[in-house]
Amino acid sequence: AGWQADPANPGLVQRSPTSGQIQLVLTDQINAQAMEWEGFDLSVNYTLPTDIGDFQAGFDSTYTLKYDYTSVTGVVTEGAGKRNNNTAAVPPTPELRANFRLGWTRNMHNVTAYVRYMSEVEEVLVGDPFAVFCGRSSGAAPLFGINATTHCPEQYDAFTTVDLQYTVQFEDILGSMDAMVQVGANNIFDEEAQPHITLGGLETFLY
């Protein structure tokens, strides 16, 4: 491999007149890609002490108003609320993600429930190379369990899951050592992610 100057711009690669080694490489200026994000985060926490223990509530959310990607050619892609499979620069971006937490603590015991919400995502098939299999009732797609109705959605619907967690803390056991035991279950209502005709069978960035 070697460096050569563009014949139209021979001065871009400058070499030593004696050894021929490269001393300087000049590059043209280009427009770099850009991304613009607009949105806001909201976080609220509250604790209520009572005779039967402390109750805690918390809410955290991110709302995306704009997530625009500008390519080096000046093409603008609006990414908020879309899967964005046609560009590797912007990930799948629901407009709203929110987590709600409700807990109870008394002495060494704590029980917490988490509700996790994701708003719908549109333009799911745009830019997806596997979309060519959608609508086919023959060929290899049915052999892999791919259904053109269930595996080729135009959008992912809003998705909500509920997790439960129980924690018990032990203090000053075996002298001055502390210990904690924690058990829990995620998605206790067994909500299923939207199946999709892609690698892995679903959009792993979201679910």
Side-chain angles (χ1 to χ4, degrees):
W3 290 85
Q4 291 185 342
D6 185 345
N9 297 281
L12 294 180
V13 178
Q14 300 179 11
R15 299 177 180 271
S16 168
T18 56
S19 66
Q21 292 183 342
I22 295 176
Q23 295 179 319
L24 181 66
V25 177
L26 303 176
T27 60
D28 292 330
Q29 292 184 347
I30 61 174
N31 292 324
Q33 63 187 23
M35 283 185 286
E36 182 180 2
W37 182 89
E38 291 183 7
F40 59 87
D41 298 326
L42 176 64
S43 181
V44 179
N45 293 282
Y46 179 75
T47 300
L48 176 65
T50 70
D51 293 337
I52 59 173
D54 295 345
F55 292 88
Q56 305 95 22
F59 178 79
D60 299 284
S61 66
T62 297
Y63 190 84
T64 301
L65 298 170
K66 176 190 291 188
Y67 202 157
D68 292 352
Y69 163 74
T70 304
S71 68
V72 294
T73 59
V75 177
V76 178
T77 300
E78 298 180 357
K82 300 176 183 178
R83 185 178 176 221
N84 301 313
N85 203 70
N86 56 336
T87 172
V90 181
T93 306
E95 290 185 339
L96 176 62
R97 281 184 178 273
N99 295 325
F100 176 74
R101 180 182 72 259
L102 184 63
W104 170 80
T105 301
R106 184 175 184 181
N107 299 326
M108 58 192 295
H109 304 281
N110 173 265
V111 179
T112 305
Y114 300 89
V115 179
R116 310 183 193 278
Y117 172 82
M118 176 189 75
S119 63
E120 67 274 3
V121 174
E122 300 177 346
E123 296 188 9
V124 168
L125 299 177
V126 176
D128 192 332
F130 293 95
V132 297
F133 295 103
C134 294
R136 295 186 181 182
S137 57
S138 60
L143 298 178
F144 294 96
I146 297 173
N147 183 293
T149 301
T150 60
H151 289 68
C152 296
E154 294 293 334
Q155 74 170 33
Y156 298 137
D157 294 334
F159 191 69
T160 304
T161 59
V162 179
D163 305 337
L164 280 179
Q165 180 178 285
Y166 169 71
T167 303
V168 56
Q169 293 184 330
F170 302 94
E171 297 181 353
D172 299 330
I173 61 174
L174 299 177
S176 59
M177 295 179 57
D178 295 341
M180 179 178 67
V181 177
Q182 189 175 81
V183 295
N186 294 335
N187 192 12
I188 62 174
F189 295 112
D190 199 24
E191 296 292 333
E192 294 187 3
Q194 171 65 55
H196 184 70
I197 182 170
T198 191
L199 292 176
L202 53 86
E203 179 52 76
T204 56
F205 192 91
L206 296 174
Y207 303 105

